[in-house]
Amino acid sequence: MIQINCMKYFLLIVLISSHSLFAQHPVDTTAIFQINGIRQYVRIKGKDVSKPIILFLHGGPGGSLMQKFDEVSSKLQQHFVVVHWDQRETGETLKRNKSKEPLTLQLFYNDTHDLVDSLLRQFSKPKLYLIGYSWGSGLGFYIADKYPELLYAYIPVSPVISQYRSDSISLAMLKEKMGKKARQELAQVYIPFQNVEQLYYHRKWLLKHAGQKLVSLSLPKSFVETWGATWFDVFSRATEVDLFQTLPVIKCPVYFFAGAKDYNTNSSITAEYYSKVSAPKKDLFLFNDAGHELLVTHSDGFQDMIIKKILPQTSR
């Protein structure tokens, strides 16, 4: 069920039901979808409501992209109806209601499928394009695996593919390259991470290696501990997945985006999986000077590849 304020609801329904009567009609609105017991927030924007839908699945977990809506999709809005969603316990959805159920991977999988299904019904579309960024890539791989008929294409960005391997590679690299203080803290880290403090030490020095600002650690009231109380368990379950074992075949077109300097979700693992996975169409777009945040840092190039390379191959 979709709930939108009255004026926006009227506009959206008019645009959806009568777009065939007009050459072009923009849409720019927000909506609340009732999904699995709670209200979940989306923003919808595009130059022409008749264009295909492209849905972003943000990272984190808990990492809303809503504040960067136009930054990462302004070009896409000329060719798609762009949808950003704040997942449960995140951003605008969390402001409206907390999850009524314990957080599990299957719950997020179900939310994602129900949202995809709701969007297709509301816009009278047979399929959509799906972008999964980092944590969100795992949700997207689930849809591509279980419901490939709903996707024109799946587009994983900085994807989680075999995270134990990725974290092991980066931990060994950091122990070799970083200084004494880093090595002391990293000596407390084991893969898989046993607690949120180990995850913090690993990510802290990974960010330092990438030239980003460190975050102070002041347990137990730090942001890290707050995040961990909500997310660490479901995050850990997500990192157990190894797509080399669980998803050797994807039955829809799939297009990978990776930064060569991404040591969080290691780009070498993305390239290896791309070479092995079977799909009706596939490609890998490797950005040589990008890291894990390529969706934001290289948003223009990212959007250009979708518009110029992916859309022409899949729009039929």
Side-chain angles (χ1 to χ4, degrees):
M1 181 178 70
I2 185 171
Q3 301 172 349
I4 312 176
N5 71 52
C6 292
M7 193 64 190
K8 289 180 178 178
Y9 178 79
F10 174 77
L11 175 61
L12 184 59
I13 294 301
V14 168
L15 292 178
I16 293 171
S17 62
S18 61
H19 67 260
S20 61
L21 301 178
F22 303 89
Q24 191 175 87
H25 246 303
V27 59
D28 185 356
T29 191
T30 61
I32 302 296
F33 286 81
Q34 191 75 23
I35 297 175
N36 292 324
I38 67 169
R39 295 169 293 158
Q40 305 210 28
Y41 178 96
V42 302
R43 186 179 175 197
I44 305 166
K45 190 173 182 180
K47 185 177 181 181
D48 185 355
V49 75
S50 70
K51 298 295 185 182
I53 300 166
I54 191 164
L55 169 62
F56 280 73
L57 306 176
H58 65 67
S64 173
L65 279 171
M66 210 62 72
Q67 296 299 317
K68 299 182 182 296
F69 191 106
D70 288 328
E71 185 176 348
V72 301
S73 68
S74 58
K75 291 183 177 182
L76 294 177
Q77 292 165 28
Q78 307 305 307
H79 303 269
F80 299 89
V81 174
V82 178
V83 181
H84 279 241
W85 164 42
D86 275 351
Q87 300 159 26
R88 63 176 63 223
E89 293 301 299
T90 301
E92 295 296 327
T93 294
L94 178 58
K95 288 179 183 178
R96 285 158 175 80
N97 45 197
K98 290 184 67 63
S99 179
K100 296 178 181 179
E101 302 178 53
L103 302 184
T104 65
L105 271 184
Q106 191 60 53
L107 182 59
F108 282 96
Y109 293 157
N110 294 344
D111 283 356
T112 307
H113 172 248
D114 287 358
L115 177 60
V116 168
D117 187 60
S118 295
L119 287 168
L120 294 177
R121 285 189 285 106
Q122 291 296 328
F123 283 87
S124 299
K125 304 288 189 183
K127 301 183 180 186
L128 55 69
Y129 290 85
L130 189 60
I131 296 172
Y133 171 56
S134 191
W135 146 271
S137 71
L139 309 183
F141 280 120
Y142 174 82
I143 300 300
D145 180 26
K146 303 300 183 183
Y147 307 98
E149 72 279 3
L150 301 182
L151 303 182
Y152 288 116
Y154 176 45
I155 304 168
V157 183
S158 304
V160 176
I161 291 171
S162 182
Q163 199 57 33
Y164 285 178
R165 282 180 57 192
S166 182
D167 289 336
S168 296
I169 291 170
S170 55
L171 179 60
M173 175 195 70
L174 292 170
K175 286 181 176 179
E176 179 182 348
K177 293 188 175 183
M178 304 304 288
K180 181 179 179 180
K181 181 179 179 180
R183 289 195 296 272
Q184 289 174 341
E185 292 185 345
L186 292 169
Q188 305 173 51
V189 176
Y190 298 90
I191 307 299
F193 303 118
Q194 299 171 342
N195 52 55
V196 71
E197 188 172 359
Q198 290 184 17
L199 172 62
Y200 168 73
Y201 285 141
H202 182 273
R203 296 297 194 261
K204 168 184 173 179
W205 293 107
L206 202 58
L207 288 172
K208 177 66 174 178
H209 178 265
Q212 299 182 38
K213 185 179 180 180
L214 294 180
V215 180
S216 64
L217 180 62
S218 54
L219 302 176
K221 295 183 178 180
S222 68
F223 167 80
V224 176
E225 286 294 293
T226 302
W227 179 92
T230 299
W231 295 111
F232 183 72
D233 185 65
V234 71
F235 167 84
S236 298
R237 301 291 79 75
T239 61
E240 292 174 357
V241 176
D242 187 333
L243 296 183
F244 289 96
Q245 303 299 321
T246 63
L247 193 58
V249 177
I250 298 176
K251 295 181 180 179
C252 68
V254 58
Y255 298 89
F256 297 85
F257 282 78
K261 297 180 180 179
D262 184 354
Y263 304 107
N264 191 328
T265 53
N266 197 288
S267 58
S268 67
I269 294 175
T270 300
E272 181 184 349
Y273 181 65
Y274 159 74
S275 71
K276 293 181 177 180
V277 71
S278 175
K281 294 179 182 178
K282 66 176 184 176
D283 208 342
L284 169 64
F285 302 100
L286 185 65
F287 290 65
N288 290 327
D289 58 342
H292 190 66
E293 304 290 333
L294 79 85
L295 185 66
V296 175
T297 61
H298 292 67
S299 59
D300 283 347
F302 164 73
Q303 294 176 80
D304 287 342
M305 290 298 100
I306 294 176
I307 294 165
K308 296 176 182 179
K309 300 291 186 180
I310 298 174
L311 184 57
Q313 292 183 19
T314 56
S315 57
R316 294 182 183 180

